[in-house]
Amino acid sequence: MRNSLIFIILALTIQFGAQAQAPEEAHKRIPYVEIVRDSIPDCVRLGKTELHFPGSHERFDSLYVKIEKMLSSGEGNVNIWHIGGSHVQGSYFPDRLRQNFAAAAEGEYGYAVPYRMISPAYDKEQFFSVEGQWDPSVISRSYKGTRPRYGITGFGARTSDSKAAVAFSFKAKGDSLRSANSCRILGYSPDGQSFPIIIKGCDTLFCQNEGNDRFLFELGEELDSIKVNFHIPEGSSFVLGGIEPLNGHSGFSYYASGTNGASLSSWLNKCDELERDLAYAKPDIAILGLGINDSACKQVDFKVEVFKERYRQLIGMVRRQAPGCSFIFITNNDSYRYISRGMTYNYNAPAVKKAMFELAEEVGAAVWDLYDIMGGKNSVNLWRDAGLVQSDRLHFTKSGYNLLGDLLYNAFADDYNKIQ
């Protein structure tokens, strides 16, 4: 009788002990963004927002193991790189994705670029003020004179002004939840004589030149505002590519690279140091949003095989520097395109979609089918009428981009959270 009682107590102890440990052993899920379905216009096909895998899921299986480990241990980073054109430079889309991933686990902010020097489409979450004379340019625009040696931001602003300065702050809305205890300045001096400095109170902070157009500053404390000055001797100059604020946090780090009008050709042929800089970004996830500018032409002029080959070149570049990277293609939105006398419908979205599904099958990538989510041909008119697309029927409104950021994030979260 006594032995039976001991056996029962031991069995119960093992059973309840296992139950007590279960929460620690459970799969670490990432939270969804709440979307009130009744508030979403009928033109948005919420039943079509999932990630598609026309080929292998193997790369994402490996990625999800890394995410699980990061969330469980609170150590390490999962790096996301989002490349595109105006949908990325305009910032609302990548900012929403950055915010959503940060809510799950906030890592590094990524690149802060003073696009406001050249365009009204810039990141409103950032605040830049500029002093002195600058000559800014991006990979998607023609440039008179000596073209800058562009890095991963696709941006270069040259100055020979010894009084030049750039101040960056997260306080675009009057407050800030972000800060940095160090920062990296991306840029270079053609003759090697100029370099950035940071004035903090009465102190002048000097950088560590990391080489390859990278200058690291240790700030000594958490700051949400950074002002960069430059030591520029007479006859010298400095080309600024951007600022990378750093906080050392473990989590999802989000790096966005996008300039208005950029195509695959822009990035491959004009961004001299893209592959070099990918070795530092080392993306675990690459969100591929290029295609709208590549296909902004007559149907007869859109060469699908050229488009696919350029994407193969970009993917190969990423894989050489980040062999385990997982890729997510975003199909073109239904849209119009610019012509000399105004706008005309862009008939190439289905061809781009087909090419992306074929590439995804070839390289084991995912596809987020924005064209289908919108409703296919001529759906852009409905999205415009619903206030989700601008009057040009090409770019989205802020609410439209925010919705895309929520839907894509939830699609990723849903695929990840299916792991048992």
Side-chain angles (χ1 to χ4, degrees):
M1 177 69 179
R2 182 172 180 273
N3 289 340
S4 298
L5 183 61
I6 292 173
F7 176 79
I8 292 171
I9 293 172
L10 180 61
L12 289 172
T13 300
I14 294 173
Q15 177 183 351
F16 286 107
Q19 290 177 352
Q21 294 176 4
E24 298 179 2
E25 298 173 353
H27 170 56
K28 296 290 185 181
R29 296 167 63 86
I30 59 178
Y32 293 100
V33 173
E34 183 179 358
I35 296 177
V36 181
R37 301 179 75 91
D38 292 343
S39 67
I40 304 300
D42 292 339
C43 58
V44 182
R45 304 176 73 187
L46 293 175
K48 301 289 185 177
T49 59
E50 74 276 12
L51 291 180
H52 299 274
F53 293 88
S56 172
H57 196 278
E58 184 177 348
R59 283 182 170 271
F60 281 78
D61 292 336
S62 299
L63 168 67
Y64 294 164
V65 170
K66 181 172 183 177
I67 293 174
E68 173 94 23
K69 183 177 179 181
M70 178 190 73
L71 296 176
S72 299
S73 67
E75 298 178 355
N77 293 83
V78 170
N79 298 328
I80 303 168
W81 180 51
H82 187 172
I83 184 172
S86 56
H87 291 332
V88 177
Q89 182 184 310
S91 79
Y92 292 125
F93 188 16
D95 271 350
R96 191 65 160 217
L97 283 167
R98 180 186 287 113
Q99 292 164 14
N100 290 338
F101 278 103
E106 181 186 338
E108 302 292 1
Y109 178 84
Y111 308 123
V113 183
Y115 290 119
R116 66 181 300 165
M117 286 186 183
I118 58 172
S119 170
Y122 61 87
D123 194 337
K124 307 304 189 296
E125 296 298 312
Q126 306 167 1
F127 176 77
F128 274 99
S129 63
V130 178
E131 299 174 14
Q133 298 297 313
W134 293 84
D135 182 16
S137 64
V138 292
I139 56 171
S140 49
R141 290 187 178 185
S142 58
Y143 185 77
K144 297 179 180 178
T146 304
R147 180 166 60 87
R149 190 173 69 235
Y150 295 110
I152 196 170
T153 63
F155 173 90
R158 187 189 307 271
T159 184
S160 300
D161 189 346
S162 61
K163 296 181 180 180
V166 174
F168 163 75
S169 175
F170 287 119
K171 289 187 174 182
K173 293 183 177 180
D175 60 0
S176 175
L177 298 177
R178 290 184 179 271
S179 60
N181 53 34
S182 62
C183 78
R184 181 174 288 116
I185 306 303
L186 306 180
Y188 68 95
S189 172
D191 62 6
Q193 300 302 306
S194 300
F195 53 86
I197 57 176
I198 289 180
I199 307 296
K200 193 183 76 168
C202 298
D203 298 326
T204 300
L205 305 183
F206 290 93
C207 59
Q208 173 188 343
N209 188 338
E210 299 177 306
N212 290 331
D213 304 351
R214 296 154 62 87
F215 300 85
L216 181 66
F217 289 87
E218 297 295 340
L219 302 177
E221 60 180 314
E222 296 282 341
L223 299 175
D224 55 20
S225 300
I226 301 164
K227 184 175 181 180
V228 184
N229 295 77
F230 298 89
H231 170 76
I232 303 178
E234 186 175 354
S236 184
S237 63
F238 190 87
V239 178
L240 176 67
I243 298 174
E244 185 181 354
L246 302 166
N247 56 27
H249 293 176
S250 169
F252 291 102
S253 300
Y254 203 97
Y255 300 87
S257 299
T259 68
N260 284 352
S263 63
L264 281 161
S265 179
S266 305
W267 288 102
L268 293 173
N269 298 330
K270 293 185 179 180
C271 192
D272 311 84
E273 306 296 351
L274 177 57
E275 183 165 357
R276 181 205 66 186
D277 288 353
L278 282 167
Y280 294 101
K282 286 200 177 299
D284 298 290
I285 306 166
I287 300 176
L288 306 176
L290 292 163
I292 197 75
N293 295 310
D294 299 80
S295 64
C297 58
K298 296 177 180 179
Q299 282 182 285
V300 68
D301 294 330
F302 178 54
K303 308 302 182 184
V304 174
E305 288 306 316
V306 172
F307 177 71
K308 290 170 68 174
E309 184 55 34
R310 285 173 176 165
Y311 250 126
R312 291 187 186 104
Q313 291 178 42
L314 178 62
I315 290 168
M317 196 180 288
V318 175
R319 282 186 168 175
R320 284 192 291 273
Q321 304 305 327
C325 184
S326 299
F327 299 91
I328 301 174
F329 287 96
I330 300 177
T331 66
N332 283 7
N333 52 294
D334 187 51
S335 68
Y336 279 60
R337 62 181 176 85
Y338 289 104
I339 57 175
S340 58
R341 59 186 180 275
M343 303 288 289
T344 190
Y345 187 72
N346 189 340
Y347 288 93
N348 290 320
V352 170
K353 169 181 172 175
K354 184 174 183 292
M356 286 183 169
F357 270 87
E358 290 170 352
L359 285 166
E361 182 176 12
E362 182 180 310
V363 303
V367 180
W368 194 60
D369 193 353
L370 177 55
Y371 182 70
D372 197 24
I373 293 167
M374 289 185 70
K377 186 176 179 180
N378 290 320
S379 57
V380 68
N381 295 303
L382 300 175
W383 279 57
R384 178 202 55 190
D385 295 344
L388 298 174
V389 166
Q390 296 180 31
S391 59
D392 63 4
R393 289 176 288 185
L394 172 60
H395 300 97
F396 294 83
T397 61
K398 179 180 180 181
S399 58
Y401 281 122
N402 286 343
L403 176 61
L404 298 187
D406 290 344
L407 293 177
L408 177 52
Y409 169 81
N410 276 356
F412 180 86
D414 190 54
D415 194 66
Y416 170 79
N417 288 336
K418 289 176 182 175
I419 300 173
Q420 300 299 319

